[in-house]
Amino acid sequence: MEHIVIIGNGISGVTAARHIRKLSDKRITIISAETEYFFSRTALMYIYMGHMKFEHTQPYENWFWEKNRIELKKGFVTHINDASKELVFANGETMQYDKLIIATGSKPNKFGWPGQDLEGVMGMYHKQDLETLEKFAPNNKVCKRAVIVGGGLIGIELAEMLQSRDIPVTFLVRESSFWNGVLPAGESAMINEHIREHHIDLRLGVNLQEIKADEHGKVKSIIIKETGEEIACDVVGLTAGVSPNVDFLKESNIELGRGVKVNRKLETNVKDIYAIGDCAEQQEAIGNRRPIEAVWYTGRMMGETVAQTICGNPKEYNPGHWFNSAKFLDIEYQTYGWVFGERGRPEYEQHFHWKHPKEHLCITIAFHKETHEFLGINTFGIRMRHHAFDKWLTEKRSVEYVLEHLADANFDPEFYKLHEKDIVAQFNQEHHTNIQLKKRSWKRIFQFS
């Protein structure tokens, strides 16, 4: 029986295993050094905040794996011998494979800061990071202040986690405005304001110089590079992005860039070895997407795709239109299509920005300045239907068409105040148009899916 071995039990690896089982009777083994069972990584913050227990983050009961004949192996792979199709573990054990899927995910970035490996310094990506945070920041008596280094989605989540236990937070962000490499200026400014409203000490345009230790080798303070200011703290969260977790492959024959190089079928340069998820790097980027995408849903899609190829139905990875969602403290964020921030915006991309005069609600619509083709939308605090924008992007609709039908896209809960009329009115005023907002049509909405 052909043996499929998967290194990594995150969403990519587990999805691949599930779909291979649906399509075949092949022997499947999942290897992980992190946890015995698959868990939802995005839910780690809610364990610390007291909303759920760790077992609640496991989508499958423990009996699921044996019932579906998926073997689980706890261990750390240190070497891959592709000539003999053998894996070597840290404890000296070995395992043979017929086909291998590398799905080892990401690790937090470190940039050689003095003190970056002290006790009390952590990322927020693995279950072990959560355990470390619980040890060093159980309450505001043990942890009198935490410093977070790096502005982004993981950083803002960690700030929210610490705030849930009334632990003061200083947030060091290298950029002049929060996440302004991704968000347009108006949105980034709104998030700056929202962070500060939550009494988080947001420091923009600064870098970490050093993490200092006490006499026991534990964090006692950090130094800001630009000013030399020393800030006393008990925990330092390193959230300056993530990198593919591929160090164990450097002595192998597998081609590496920043991640494991793969083609559209997620095949590496070595026969019968594939890579998926955060650790995979496309040899050629797909459209405007980055060659490496550390996003939950793309990892799931890669798992589904590689399962088809391994089971005799070769399939190319096609993620479709870009979308994502997140939460900045109390503000929900969605993005569909492409809305570039201050960095990398094409000359042809024009933005329309609407912001509520009092509340933290806004949208930014990107469109082609010549053709008026709709390119993408960011929404903050207003829920919009994924299927609506996916359809309009595929059909290459105009920005005027999207605004005319904007009520169809809204799916805020009942009795929420709607803002489409105000949005369209402002666009008409700024662009000297006369777009008439159509009433919501359930007939049109049912055609989205």
Side-chain angles (χ1 to χ4, degrees):
M1 184 183 295
E2 188 175 46
H3 187 196
I4 311 300
V5 175
I6 303 167
I7 307 176
N9 73 343
I11 185 62
S12 304
V14 166
T15 301
R18 288 179 50 246
H19 282 261
I20 292 169
R21 174 54 65 237
K22 287 179 181 179
L23 297 167
S24 75
D25 286 324
K26 300 177 190 295
R27 181 186 173 196
I28 304 169
T29 301
I30 300 177
I31 300 167
S32 173
E34 182 181 13
T35 57
E36 186 174 0
Y37 298 109
F38 167 57
F39 69 96
S40 176
R41 195 173 303 281
T42 55
L44 282 178
M45 66 181 294
Y46 300 112
I47 301 171
Y48 183 83
M49 293 170 71
H51 298 173
M52 56 176 62
K53 297 179 181 178
F54 180 72
E55 54 265 32
H56 299 155
T57 70
Q58 296 176 192
Y60 305 105
E61 299 289 348
N62 293 348
W63 49 258
F64 170 88
W65 309 99
E66 184 176 354
K67 179 181 178 182
N68 287 278
R69 292 171 289 123
I70 298 173
E71 300 172 32
L72 305 178
K73 164 77 174 172
K74 188 87 180 289
F76 186 84
V77 176
T78 57
H79 183 68
I80 297 173
N81 187 337
D82 60 270
S84 60
K85 293 192 170 182
E86 182 181 68
L87 305 179
V88 180
F89 292 87
N91 63 2
E93 291 182 22
T94 61
M95 179 182 289
Q96 298 294 133
Y97 68 86
D98 294 302
K99 289 182 179 173
L100 177 67
I101 301 173
I102 301 166
T104 47
S106 297
K107 60 179 182 178
N109 284 334
K110 293 184 178 181
F111 295 100
W113 294 298
Q116 66 182 18
D117 296 315
L118 292 171
E119 287 194 358
V121 180
M122 67 207 70
M124 186 39 62
Y125 188 82
H126 300 101
K127 180 174 182 284
Q128 287 77 8
D129 294 328
L130 179 67
E131 292 166 350
T132 303
L133 185 66
E134 191 66 64
K135 175 182 177 182
F136 289 102
N139 52 55
N140 59 12
K141 294 182 176 61
V142 174
C143 180
K144 295 178 174 58
R145 177 167 294 275
V147 172
I148 299 171
V149 181
L153 299 182
I154 298 176
I156 198 75
E157 286 183 356
L158 181 54
E160 184 176 359
M161 292 164 67
L162 291 160
Q163 280 230 310
S164 73
R165 300 195 185 185
D166 296 322
I167 296 171
V169 174
T170 295
F171 205 164
L172 307 187
V173 176
R174 180 182 61 184
E175 292 78 18
S176 59
S177 187
F178 191 86
W179 221 31
N180 65 355
V182 177
L183 299 178
E187 298 172 353
S188 179
M190 185 181 75
I191 298 302
N192 293 339
E193 182 183 336
H194 188 59
I195 290 170
R196 286 173 170 146
E197 285 175 352
H198 279 72
H199 308 291
I200 294 170
D201 177 24
L202 177 63
R203 308 287 188 96
L204 297 171
V206 299
N207 288 274
L208 173 67
Q209 178 173 302
E210 178 186 359
I211 305 170
K212 301 187 78 170
D214 65 14
E215 63 272 20
H216 304 294
K218 182 183 173 299
V219 170
K220 75 166 185 178
S221 64
I222 62 97
I223 304 293
I224 293 178
K225 183 177 181 179
E226 287 73 14
T227 62
E229 180 185 357
E230 183 172 2
I231 300 175
C233 58
D234 301 290
V235 160
V236 175
L238 301 181
T239 62
V242 294
S243 299
N245 185 19
V246 295
D247 287 349
F248 73 107
L249 300 173
K250 288 181 179 177
E251 303 301 319
S252 73
N253 294 317
I254 299 168
E255 183 185 359
L256 301 178
R258 288 185 59 231
V260 182
K261 291 280 194 174
V262 295
N263 61 20
R264 289 289 190 269
K265 294 177 184 173
L266 306 170
E267 299 165 321
T268 70
N269 63 308
V270 177
K271 190 177 186 298
D272 294 331
I273 298 182
Y274 307 79
I276 57 177
D278 295 14
C279 70
E281 179 179 356
Q282 287 287 324
Q283 291 170 349
E284 294 182 11
I286 301 173
N288 287 327
R289 289 173 176 267
R290 296 176 180 177
I292 300 170
E293 291 188 312
V295 183
W296 182 90
Y297 78 87
T298 58
R300 177 180 52 96
M301 293 170 75
M302 288 187 211
E304 295 170 357
T305 300
V306 80
Q308 292 286 338
T309 297
I310 281 178
C311 293
N313 179 28
K315 186 177 179 182
E316 292 195 351
Y317 170 60
N318 178 18
H321 298 297
W322 169 255
F323 69 93
N324 201 6
S325 63
K327 190 164 72 74
F328 297 92
L329 300 169
D330 301 326
I331 303 175
E332 293 183 10
Y333 159 70
Q334 296 170 290
T335 183
Y336 305 105
W338 294 105
V339 182
F340 282 91
E342 301 303 297
R343 188 170 59 223
R345 185 188 303 175
E347 286 187 11
Y348 60 78
E349 183 177 310
Q350 185 170 342
H351 287 180
F352 163 68
H353 181 71
W354 172 87
K355 184 179 183 301
H356 192 279
K358 295 181 180 178
E359 300 178 50
H360 288 316
L361 306 172
C362 76
I363 69 163
T364 300
I365 296 177
F367 59 97
H368 196 292
K369 65 170 65 173
E370 302 296 336
T371 66
H372 279 214
E373 180 185 335
F374 171 67
L375 302 175
I377 185 169
N378 289 348
T379 75
F380 288 80
I382 301 173
R383 295 179 183 176
M384 296 286 188
R385 298 178 199 278
H386 175 194
H387 292 301
F389 292 111
D390 195 66
K391 188 171 189 287
W392 294 337
L393 286 163
T394 298
E395 294 172 348
K396 297 184 179 297
R397 294 292 188 177
S398 68
V399 63
E400 290 85 0
Y401 179 93
V402 169
L403 286 165
E404 188 179 352
H405 295 84
L406 199 58
D408 290 348
N410 185 292
F411 78 109
D412 272 331
E414 191 176 9
F415 305 124
Y416 268 49
K417 185 177 179 181
L418 302 178
H419 302 281
E420 286 78 19
K421 286 183 180 179
D422 295 335
I423 293 167
V424 171
Q426 182 176 316
F427 186 92
N428 282 335
Q429 182 180 23
E430 292 180 7
H431 295 270
H432 309 291
T433 52
N434 188 31
I435 298 167
Q436 299 297 312
L437 180 69
K438 289 184 178 293
K439 289 185 178 180
R440 178 182 295 176
S441 164
W442 288 107
K443 181 179 179 180
R444 289 195 300 266
I445 290 169
F446 288 140
Q447 291 172 352
F448 291 146
S449 54

